[in-house]
Amino acid sequence: MESYITHCIAGFIAFDENYNIISYKLFKEEEIPQKIIEINQGKLVSEEKDLIETIADDYDTIAIESTNMISKYKELKNHEKIHLKIPNSGGEYLRENFEDILAKIEFSSSLELKNELIKNYTKIARLKMKESSEEEDKLLIQAINSIDELDESVSKLIERIREWYTIYFPELDIIQNNENYINLIAEIGSREEIIASTNDSFKLGIDISDGADIENEDLEIIIDFAKSIQHLQKSRKNIEKYIDSKMDKIAPNLKNLVGASLGAKLIAHVGSIKKLATYPSGTVQIIGAEKALFRHLKTGERPPKHGLIFQHPEVRTSPWWVRGKIARTLALKISLSVRKDVFSGNFDSNISKDFLEKVEKIKKDNPFPKKTKKRREEERKNSYLKKSKKYKKKKVKKKRRKK
């Protein structure tokens, strides 16, 4: 004999072959939203386990309407009788006769049912929103996006203060390091004091500046502006440290492979670490190169070999003829490391070591660029043109000699 198990907002219900209710296990009213979320996450709740063990001895097969893997039921009594079927006949019967069945199991009346459904699904939506907002990778995404915006803002502000302060002290523009430049203005300010305070390791080589003389209130506002930029630079460093610690917690394998910054950018571009874990390595390889990919699909140009992962030093600094192979290898390792972070949580230092070993092998096996078919054809055409030009020149010379 076959039995069917399915679930709804009330709990788990078991039917026989004639769709008679054999048994049921209802959720506690206050636990309904949480139980529904747990089921959607693929967890086995206590009500489902209890119902299976209750009917297992009396039936030959138990068809469960579930998206779970069959391996999750192996610990249960008579697990060999269980098989998964979506949808199963019992589930379809329940959905067709929803109100009648809930009335039979004494869940609620028709009017109460509508109110109960509204109330519980509102709670489920709130719990899902709360769960989503509590995900740590959302905080990481905001942090890495803040870094990009700070870099853009600070770059523009430094350009502005260089133009502004050059009116007063043009000789200081020799300092290329922006952080040192801002620190000198914010902490000292006066050009006379900067000239006097420079030590042997840093000499401007001047005694008097050719800049314009300005009033104290003009200098004070420039110094105040420099302090604001200095504060933004410190904020950027603090956010970098925060990203580093977050990546240690959320994705240690990914951080060990590509670094905290690039790892966070990959997560931010996709939207979450769970999404990144579901992507195939071919997609990971071109994350960030979507425009080039669509151009390839539209015009037939060469497809992109790498996207954001070009920022990895092993890809960026490698010869052009092996970058594609190294990018493909890195994408494979990124997929592996992210899946380990999401699904197992175990740190594996061998992923990074294995990648570096494969990079060395790729470089060793490909010391020089290989000629492509297209390149060979071009070389043949060029050599043919050169020969034909030489042949024509010889003919012209022969004609001149005869004359």
Side-chain angles (χ1 to χ4, degrees):
M1 288 195 300
E2 189 172 23
S3 61
Y4 307 101
I5 291 180
T6 187
H7 73 274
C8 64
I9 196 166
F12 280 86
I13 305 169
F15 298 92
D16 62 14
E17 291 175 341
N18 299 316
Y19 308 116
N20 297 313
I21 298 170
I22 309 162
S23 183
Y24 56 87
K25 298 287 179 183
L26 301 182
F27 301 134
K28 291 179 182 176
E29 191 178 336
E30 65 276 7
E31 292 179 359
I32 288 174
Q34 191 58 44
K35 291 286 183 182
I36 297 294
I37 289 171
E38 285 177 13
I39 292 164
N40 291 338
Q41 289 173 345
K43 294 178 182 177
L44 287 184
V45 294
S46 57
E47 288 79 5
E48 184 178 7
K49 291 177 186 176
D50 293 343
L51 187 58
I52 292 167
E53 290 180 356
T54 302
I55 67 167
D57 293 329
D58 302 324
Y59 291 87
D60 300 324
T61 57
I62 303 167
I64 301 174
E65 193 175 53
S66 174
T67 55
N68 291 333
M69 295 174 70
I70 194 69
S71 57
K72 287 194 175 182
Y73 296 90
K74 281 189 176 178
E75 294 178 2
L76 299 178
K77 180 184 173 183
N78 296 319
H79 64 84
E80 66 280 353
K81 294 182 179 181
I82 296 169
H83 69 272
L84 306 178
K85 192 176 179 183
I86 304 174
N88 70 25
S89 303
E92 289 176 347
Y93 179 75
L94 170 65
R95 287 183 283 277
E96 287 170 8
N97 304 277
F98 191 59
E99 287 191 39
D100 294 338
I101 290 167
L102 291 189
K104 283 179 184 177
I105 61 174
E106 299 176 352
F107 180 66
S108 59
S109 66
S110 182
L111 183 61
E112 286 173 344
L113 175 63
K114 288 178 183 177
N115 295 330
E116 197 70 24
L117 287 170
I118 292 166
K119 185 175 77 174
N120 282 296
Y121 278 109
T122 304
K123 283 181 183 177
I124 291 164
R126 283 177 181 167
L127 281 169
K128 282 189 175 180
M129 286 170 67
K130 188 180 179 183
E131 186 186 337
S132 176
S133 64
E134 283 176 355
E135 287 176 1
E136 288 187 289
D137 52 1
K138 297 285 187 293
L139 300 170
L140 181 70
I141 290 165
Q142 293 302 321
I144 197 67
N145 289 340
S146 298
I147 288 270
D148 292 339
E149 287 164 10
L150 274 172
D151 285 341
E152 190 179 343
S153 302
V154 168
S155 177
K156 287 180 181 178
L157 293 172
I158 286 171
E159 192 179 335
R160 173 62 52 220
I161 199 168
R162 277 185 179 273
E163 288 181 11
W164 196 354
Y165 196 72
T166 299
I167 298 167
Y168 172 63
F169 192 9
E171 291 81 7
L172 195 66
D173 205 43
I174 197 171
I175 298 173
Q176 297 299 313
N177 187 291
N178 289 327
E179 194 173 343
N180 292 339
Y181 186 86
I182 296 298
N183 288 341
L184 283 169
I185 300 170
E187 291 166 14
I188 302 172
S190 169
R191 63 189 177 190
E192 289 79 13
E193 288 180 27
I194 291 172
I195 293 166
S197 65
T198 51
N199 53 32
D200 295 331
S201 62
F202 170 70
K203 284 277 185 185
L204 288 173
I206 58 166
D207 296 321
I208 301 170
S209 172
D210 294 331
D213 294 325
I214 61 174
E215 295 179 10
N216 284 334
E217 65 172 342
D218 298 324
L219 183 58
E220 281 172 10
I221 201 72
I222 295 170
I223 292 168
D224 189 53
F225 184 47
K227 283 178 180 176
S228 299
I229 298 169
Q230 190 183 46
H231 182 70
L232 288 174
Q233 287 174 331
K234 284 177 182 175
S235 294
R236 190 195 185 283
K237 285 182 179 178
N238 291 334
I239 294 170
E240 266 190 338
K241 287 177 185 174
Y242 169 78
I243 289 168
D244 198 64
S245 65
K246 273 286 173 195
M247 283 295 290
D248 266 331
K249 193 177 179 182
I250 296 168
N253 288 298
L254 182 61
K255 182 196 166 186
N256 188 50
L257 179 65
V258 300
S261 179
L262 178 53
K265 282 177 183 177
L266 288 167
I267 293 167
H269 195 88
V270 171
S272 75
I273 191 168
K274 286 180 183 176
K275 271 190 185 178
L276 186 60
T278 62
Y279 280 21
S281 59
T283 306
V284 172
Q285 187 178 341
I286 56 167
I287 286 172
E290 287 81 6
K291 285 183 181 178
L293 177 65
F294 290 128
R295 190 165 56 247
H296 155 69
L297 295 170
K298 190 176 180 181
T299 63
E301 287 185 26
R302 285 186 175 184
K305 291 180 180 178
H306 37 61
L308 281 172
I309 61 172
F310 180 73
Q311 295 176 24
H312 194 283
E314 288 297 341
V315 180
R316 189 177 64 249
T317 59
S318 295
W320 60 266
W321 61 87
V322 291
R323 277 182 198 157
K325 290 180 180 179
I326 293 170
R328 189 159 55 250
T329 306
L330 179 59
L332 283 164
K333 295 298 177 185
I334 287 170
S335 294
L336 177 61
S337 60
V338 173
R339 285 165 191 172
K340 280 220 170 207
D341 289 328
V342 173
F343 301 116
S344 73
N346 298 326
F347 178 70
D348 187 0
S349 60
N350 292 324
I351 296 173
S352 181
K353 287 176 186 175
D354 189 43
F355 167 67
L356 294 172
E357 285 171 7
K358 285 188 177 179
V359 168
E360 282 180 23
K361 190 176 184 301
I362 289 166
K363 288 179 179 178
K364 192 177 178 181
D365 293 345
N366 302 274
F368 304 105
K370 290 180 181 177
K371 290 178 183 177
T372 59
K373 193 176 179 181
K374 191 177 179 181
R375 197 165 177 180
R376 285 196 193 101
E377 285 175 3
E378 285 175 1
E379 284 181 1
R380 281 174 193 163
K381 283 179 184 177
N382 291 333
S383 63
Y384 174 76
L385 288 168
K386 283 178 184 177
K387 285 177 183 178
S388 61
K389 281 177 183 177
K390 284 179 182 178
Y391 182 72
K392 283 176 183 178
K393 281 180 182 178
K394 282 179 182 178
K395 272 193 169 184
V396 169
K397 282 180 182 179
K398 282 180 181 179
K399 282 179 182 179
R400 282 175 182 172
R401 282 173 188 171
K402 284 177 181 180
K403 286 179 182 179

